[in-house]
Amino acid sequence: MAGMETTETTETTTATTFPLIISVDDHTVEPPGVWQNRLPKKYLDTGPRVVRAPLKEMSFLGGRFKPVMGEPGSDPGAPVGDWWVYEDLHRPLTRLDTAVGYDRDEIRLEVITYEQMRPGSYDVTARLADMDVNHVQSALCFPTFPRFCGQTFTEAADRELALLCVRAYNDWMVEEWCGPEAQGRLIPLTLIPLWDAELAAREVRRNAERGVRAVAFSEIPPHLGLPSVHTDDWDPFLAACDETGTVIAMHIGSSSRMPSTSADAPPAVGSTITFANCCFSMVDWLMSGKFERFPRLKVMYAEGQIGWIPYILERADTVWEENRGWGGVAGKVHRPPSELFAEHICGCFFDDAFGLRNLDAIGPGNVLYETDYPHSDSTWPKSREVGEAQTGHLDPAVVERIVRGNAIDLLGLTPDGLWPGGAR
């Protein structure tokens, strides 16, 4: 394949002190049949399906991604890619969806086909092989076509079909992606119908009954036209998560609005400040009173890095101490936000030397490791080397905790780091 590195990095037989990685933020590119194989026949022509078609135009400015699909076969000279088509949505597969194996200078915003991506992006056996290459034992994977918390279905016109799509994705995630072939090494992350908190609660419980312990959610729901966490609207969903021990996983961009500074800012601006949405979201949760109302609730921020956390906690404690009377939180937040953080929130990183140098100010029990496979930011196939370089100053027991121990505890994995529902 043009541009792809052909030399594989393989594990050496030399003993290493760096623990086997449990990545809490990787991604799956859904195979074409996920919905076509599961939806009722009457929805096959409107439900998600893959069409190979040319690209007319595409931009990614100011945090907004705008692709335009041409008619199949209409322009022989145009770039051709595989597009997800759903109702009136046309969303192409792009090189940014699956960039591992390519030289960083060759990664462009371009449409691609399944044949042009690394098979580990969508194939379980190939994914496990790529995990072996990268010293990764287990991985939690966020979606691609549904977007990071299922916004694609929330924005759809037909809510009956959208609910079926959410359930179909979850069935595929649990039964196939994390099924027997994965040997317990792929950890399920499911979606909810974001437009209805009661339906969301039912879906959390349905999946919890089959061993799922993580659900995707939006970092800033009002950006999706949904209620904020300061309202009571989400309480049925939060209660279900609290009761079942289901972790709320929020990925950068799960509000469909990547941080940026202007409508014409290049993607490099947003890529530099991607942590900002996690920062805003964390303050929302800390000042919401939800952690005191739902004492078992746990949330994690994927791909937000961790170096910014100490100052935000310091500032939140100061505001709570000095301004809670007029700040609207005196009656619902009864403890310093830093204490609530320590008990309820985890930050995730894949490349944050500064954050690790300030780990004591964050808490070693509140940090998780990730590799971001197969995205352009991914440290694959050198996640072990990156981790070793950035954690070399830490006690081995702390490294063990960050790289795998905290994930085992948070996600209810076996002591060996496997998902119990898939480990056979």
Side-chain angles (χ1 to χ4, degrees), residues 269-283:
V269 172
S271 185
T272 302
I273 57 175
T274 51
F275 73 91
N277 281 357
C278 294
C279 174
F280 300 158
S281 175
M282 190 178 83
V283 175

Side-chain angles (χ1 to χ4, degrees), residues 302-330:
E303 209 171 317
Q305 312 303 334
I306 59 174
W308 52 273
I309 291 174
Y311 171 70
I312 292 301
L313 293 179
E314 177 184 285
R315 178 60 183 164
D317 279 358
T318 299
V319 170
W320 178 82
E321 185 66 41
E322 298 181 359
N323 301 330
R324 63 179 179 267
W326 63 264
V329 296

Side-chain angles (χ1 to χ4, degrees), residues 29-58:
V29 176
E30 300 79 20
V34 169
W35 291 276
Q36 291 291 295
N37 293 343
R38 289 170 179 79
L39 291 176
K41 187 175 180 179
K42 68 175 182 177
Y43 286 123
L44 296 183
D45 291 337
T46 52
R49 59 206 182 278
V50 173
V51 173
R52 187 157 293 184
L55 172 71
K56 289 184 69 175
E57 58 183 273
M58 182 163 58

Side-chain angles (χ1 to χ4, degrees), residues 8 26 56 94 124 164 178 216 327 338 366 375 424:
E8 299 279 347
D26 286 355
K56 289 184 69 175
T94 74
V124 172
L164 290 172
C178 301
S338 60
N366 298 85
H375 285 182
R424 294 290 184 268

